[in-house]
Amino acid sequence: MTITTRKATLGGLASLGVLALLAACAPAPTDEGSSDAAAVDFLPCIVSDFGGFDDKSFNQSSFDGMSQAADELGVEFKQAESTSEDQYAGNVTSMVDQGCDFILTVGFALANATRDAAQANPDTEFAIIDSALSNDDFSPLTLDNVKPVLYDTAQAAFLAGYLAAGTTKTGTVGTFGGMQYPSVTIFMDGFADGIAYYNTEKGTDVKLTGWDKASQAGLFAGGFDDISAGKTLSQGLIDAGADIILPVAGPLFQGTAQAITESGKDVAIVGVDSDLFETTPEFASLYLTSVMKSMTDATDTIVTDAAGGDFSADPYVGTLENEGVGLAPLHDWESKVDPALVTEVDDLKAQIISGDIVVTSDATPK
């Protein structure tokens, strides 16, 4: 990742604005949706990755968007919840076989299954969360019936990294991922560069453990379903002195919360995908903020557009400017964070939107 800075003055914008922005074969699919009579002749469908629709992360947010769109349209929808990677192709195919007009697949891991089904069924419309398409040789691929739904989370994670660097008491911040997917490492890259930028501006030496952006090497749980793995990795980060942890691993942040609670130390979590304060309030006191992707709203819009005949294969890219990504409020941590730091974060957001600061990653959506 590189950061290009054309202007780096920190000014005084409204201190809390940025933190109020919006911002990781199965059982037979079941019908969901509105109980109202169908208002349009349209059947939308959704397929999860193996995190499942109750992952309190991107699968759940996407499912909520599908539910919201179905209610608005007055239609039912079908779902296929994956529990392992070998179910992806079969679950996507099952949706096609059940006559779905539009199929939303959730997660980078479903990219090949989505591509293959779309090529075999050109009259069915697809969208995929967190991934573009590629050929088997990894060269880019575009299809007229597949819409990539992507998020430039490096932008918002940069803000979170700066915030974490200005909040840490130990001078060490940690992170780990579920698997080394672009949709995961883009968070870690932005977080690393936000910390580096803080160090440059303040003359400090806040350290990030768990990820090296230059070598693209770090800590990974090997999946998104083993809460105990998240706990073990988090215990290691706490032992290394980290008092703020960014788990980019879907529901594995719950293992981070368990590790913090058992440690008895004053350690905070930076969540991803959704505002964890809202989705998992049992750990509310631990959340510094969350790096959010507006997956619910984006899914709602894409489904309703498809139902109205306005499907487009042009990629959607969520940014700070279009509020597709952003930071959650500080919630319980508001009183613990220096208001001047919040003002600085707000100003950095404005500079990223204006292009005065450009945050990029190898995983930045093109």
Side-chain angles (χ1 to χ4, degrees):
M1 175 186 291
T2 59
I3 308 173
T4 303
T5 307
R6 297 202 297 266
K7 183 177 70 176
T9 56
L10 295 178
L13 297 179
S15 64
L16 293 178
V18 66
L19 299 178
L21 271 180
L22 288 176
C25 210
T30 59
D31 293 346
E32 288 288 344
S34 171
S35 60
D36 298 332
V40 294
D41 183 17
F42 180 73
L43 178 59
C45 302
I46 184 170
V47 181
S48 80
D49 77 357
F50 63 77
F53 292 124
D54 60 351
D55 66 350
K56 303 183 187 301
S57 189
F58 61 96
N59 282 289
Q60 185 169 329
S61 295
S62 302
F63 184 88
D64 289 345
M66 177 66 73
S67 300
Q68 187 170 294
D71 285 344
E72 292 166 355
L73 293 166
V75 301
E76 294 185 342
F77 70 92
K78 292 183 181 293
Q79 58 170 296
E81 186 170 28
S82 308
T83 58
S84 64
E85 293 186 20
D86 61 4
Q87 296 172 354
Y88 296 156
N91 280 342
V92 175
T93 299
S94 77
M95 296 289 90
V96 174
D97 292 344
Q98 292 184 63
C100 299
D101 299 298
F102 171 90
I103 301 171
L104 179 72
T105 58
V106 186
F108 179 87
L110 278 90
N112 287 347
T114 304
R115 176 199 66 193
D116 295 346
Q119 289 176 322
N121 301 276
D123 294 332
T124 303
E125 295 170 343
F126 294 81
I128 179 168
I129 300 289
D130 273 345
S131 184
L133 299 182
S134 65
N135 294 297
D136 288 338
D137 63 0
F138 303 108
S139 59
L141 173 68
T142 59
L143 297 175
D144 290 341
N145 61 331
V146 181
K147 184 181 190 69
V149 183
L150 308 169
Y151 295 89
D152 194 355
T153 45
Q155 292 186 345
F158 180 96
L159 301 180
Y162 190 95
L163 177 67
T167 303
T168 178
K169 304 300 183 185
T170 65
T172 299
V173 176
T175 186
F176 69 90
M179 297 181 74
Q180 197 160 351
Y181 293 154
S183 56
V184 171
T185 59
I186 190 172
F187 281 95
M188 300 164 85
D189 283 344
F191 195 63
D193 275 357
I195 294 167
Y197 190 82
Y198 182 90
N199 285 335
T200 298
E201 291 294 298
K202 303 295 186 179
T204 53
D205 188 27
V206 176
K207 293 178 174 58
L208 175 63
T209 184
W211 181 244
D212 182 278
K213 67 184 182 70
S215 64
Q216 292 286 289
L219 295 176
F220 293 92
F224 299 89
D225 58 348
D226 186 354
I227 302 298
S228 65
K231 180 178 179 180
T232 298
L233 290 176
S234 300
Q235 288 170 333
L237 292 171
I238 294 169
D239 290 343
D243 63 349
I244 299 174
I245 299 174
L246 171 76
V248 193
L252 271 60
F253 73 87
Q254 297 172 75
T256 303
Q258 294 170 8
I260 292 171
T261 301
E262 292 181 9
S263 76
K265 296 181 179 179
D266 189 14
V267 179
I269 294 172
V270 175
V272 300
D273 295 333
S274 304
D275 183 354
L276 299 188
F277 187 91
E278 302 293 342
T279 62
T280 317
E282 56 263 39
F283 303 120
S285 64
L286 301 182
Y287 306 134
L288 172 60
T289 186
S290 295
V291 180
M292 299 191 299
K293 300 185 290 192
S294 61
M295 290 174 289
T296 298
D297 291 341
T299 298
D300 184 358
T301 298
I302 292 165
V303 173
T304 53
D305 283 351
D310 295 324
F311 174 86
S312 167
D314 294 338
Y316 165 83
V317 179
T319 64
L320 287 175
E321 183 174 13
N322 64 21
E323 299 188 0
V325 299
L327 294 188
L330 297 180
H331 297 299
D332 288 357
W333 273 76
E334 184 173 354
S335 63
K336 303 179 184 180
V337 176
D338 184 351
L341 176 64
V342 178
T343 300
E344 292 174 11
V345 172
D346 202 18
D347 192 47
L348 288 174
K349 171 198 165 269
Q351 292 183 61
I352 293 171
I353 290 174
S354 71
D356 289 335
I357 295 177
V358 179
V359 185
T360 62
S361 164
D362 289 345
T364 297
K366 302 296 191 289

